[in-house]
Amino acid sequence: MNLILQETLRLYPNPGTLVRQASKRVQLRNIDIPVGTQLYLSITTAHHDPKLWGEDALEFNPMRFVEPRKHLAPYFPFGLGPNYCVGQNLALFEMKIVLVMVLQRYSFVVSPTYAHGPMLLMTVTPQYGMQIIFRRL
């Protein structure tokens, strides 16, 4: 369950972008970042980068989370550092409970008319809705 949730959050992070403001002047290699500069960090870009995740970065592969990651930063669906989401543990726990309750009562398959179309608005939203066929067990 953990592997599936981690891979789902990697491919479809809830917020697509984090916004941070520089509290002091910072020099990153040859880039000068003045105090007050707003930085937009694309979670989606980092989570889909083949340099960080391999050539199959756009494919669903929960097994990529079996081995420890070489670096923590490429995976941050709830933020990172001192400003991470304080509700992270509760959100993950709730997702597990809901999934277990659904899987106990239903089987499901992707609809044969499925069209993949995630849209990034305030959150990642399926453009064509949830195209899943549920069957009561």
Side-chain angles (χ1 to χ4, degrees):
M1 186 82 62
N2 283 332
L3 300 177
I4 290 169
L5 287 176
Q6 286 179 301
E7 182 67 349
T8 300
L9 289 169
R10 184 189 71 80
L11 285 170
Y12 306 105
N14 197 17
T17 305
L18 290 178
V19 180
R20 297 291 185 259
Q21 185 168 323
S23 59
K24 62 182 181 180
R25 184 175 177 220
V26 178
Q27 186 77 29
L28 294 173
R29 294 188 182 164
N30 62 346
I31 300 171
D32 183 42
I33 301 173
V35 173
T37 301
Q38 287 194 341
L39 304 167
Y40 291 81
L41 308 169
S42 175
I43 298 173
T44 305
T45 301
H47 284 189
H48 292 175
D49 189 339
K51 292 176 191 164
L52 300 171
W53 297 98
E55 291 304 314
D56 67 342
L58 298 179
E59 296 174 22
F60 184 78
N61 177 10
M63 298 311 289
R64 74 177 81 242
F65 286 96
V66 171
E67 296 293 324
R69 289 182 299 284
K70 295 175 183 143
H71 194 281
L72 177 65
Y75 180 73
F76 53 106
F78 291 93
L80 194 62
N83 294 321
Y84 77 96
C85 176
V86 296
Q88 173 180 343
N89 291 334
L90 177 61
L92 289 168
F93 188 69
E94 287 176 328
M95 284 187 263
K96 290 175 191 176
I97 289 173
V98 168
L99 275 173
V100 166
M101 291 175 71
V102 168
L103 293 173
Q104 285 177 340
R105 293 173 178 85
Y106 299 93
S107 67
F108 60 91
V109 294
V110 175
S111 171
T113 59
Y114 173 78
H116 191 66
M119 292 187 327
L120 182 58
L121 300 171
M122 288 295 285
T123 62
V124 177
T125 307
Q127 182 176 358
Y128 306 110
M130 298 290 290
Q131 301 171 38
I132 300 172
I133 300 169
F134 285 92
R135 290 194 174 81
R136 186 176 288 279
L137 295 176

